[in-house]
Amino acid sequence: MKRVFIIHGYGAKPSDNWFGWLKEELEKKGFEVTVPQMPDTDSPTLQKSLPFLQKLVVKCGENDFFVGHSLGTITILKFLEALPDGEKAGGAVLVGGFSESIGFEKLSSFTKKPLDYEKIKKSVGKIIAIHSTDDRSVPYKFGEIIRDKLGAELITMHGAGHINHQKGYFKLPEVLDAVQKIENRK
């Protein structure tokens, strides 16, 4: 079974943004889709979020795909970094994401220890980052860092802000296309 895990960001919930739309569209294409409510969304810590995601996924394989928005992206990257040798995800789509500190102290537990980019690259088939040039929450340079350090494909949007409901994003075909592109590479 092809599985997709959609991981929301800081202060969000599964019904926000384009998450529900993406879940429905992927289910139509035969994916089993999970959009969990991440723990303590208003005061998140890596110490709670990572074990939660690990327990949810159980064993990761080539038919597992991850979609993250904002804080959900670093959560996914930490999950991939922690995978045991021999386990490898099919791919990840990181929207408005970051892999290093964005200077928001409340999220410091996620970036305190630098990522092992080489380990992550070995733990995932392909990464696609989607970022807007005018994102004020997570500036565009963080999408470029993901591209450069993880060999990710970077899809650039313009005028989309943080690519969330505040900018009117209740559907996001770019993410659906990215998941299908990754899945079709297998």
Side-chain angles (χ1 to χ4, degrees), residues 3-169:
R3 302 187 299 170
V4 176
F5 298 88
I6 302 171
I7 309 302
H8 68 73
Y10 172 74
K13 55 189 178 295
S15 59
D16 285 349
N17 306 318
W18 36 266
F19 311 141
W21 171 85
L22 180 62
K23 180 181 191 301
E24 285 181 24
E25 293 300 311
L26 287 168
E27 287 174 342
K28 289 177 195 173
K29 298 185 181 307
F31 289 90
E32 177 186 300
V33 183
T34 303
V35 190
Q37 176 63 57
M38 296 301 287
D40 297 330
T41 188
D42 292 323
S43 298
T45 64
L46 181 63
Q47 294 74 19
K48 289 184 181 175
S49 295
L50 181 57
F52 177 85
L53 184 55
Q54 289 169 324
K55 186 175 180 184
L56 188 67
V57 175
V58 183
K59 184 164 176 57
C60 189
E62 299 267 345
N63 286 320
D64 293 324
F65 306 91
F66 297 85
V67 175
H69 180 252
S70 194
L71 181 63
T73 63
I74 186 76
T75 304
I76 290 167
L77 292 173
K78 289 289 187 177
F79 171 85
L80 293 170
E81 179 185 48
L83 281 177
D85 289 341
E87 283 189 38
K88 183 175 182 175
V93 180
L94 309 176
V95 182
F98 58 97
S99 59
E100 299 178 3
S101 175
I102 57 172
F104 188 33
E105 186 57 36
K106 253 189 166 179
L107 307 181
S108 64
S109 69
F110 291 85
T111 56
K112 194 179 298 175
K113 181 177 177 250
L115 287 169
D116 180 344
Y117 290 101
E118 292 307 311
K119 170 72 167 84
I120 293 169
K121 287 194 272 189
K122 291 176 186 167
S123 298
V124 65
K126 180 171 175 61
I127 297 174
I128 297 177
I130 301 174
H131 222 100
S132 181
T133 54
D134 67 336
D135 189 333
R136 291 187 177 171
S137 299
V138 181
Y140 184 73
K141 72 176 184 178
F142 290 98
E144 294 175 317
I145 290 169
I146 289 171
R147 176 197 65 204
D148 297 344
K149 293 197 174 180
L150 288 170
E153 177 182 337
L154 177 58
I155 296 171
T156 301
M157 297 178 71
H158 302 280
H162 198 42
I163 316 174
N164 58 13
H165 64 277
Q166 280 98 345
K167 276 291 205 173
Y169 284 92

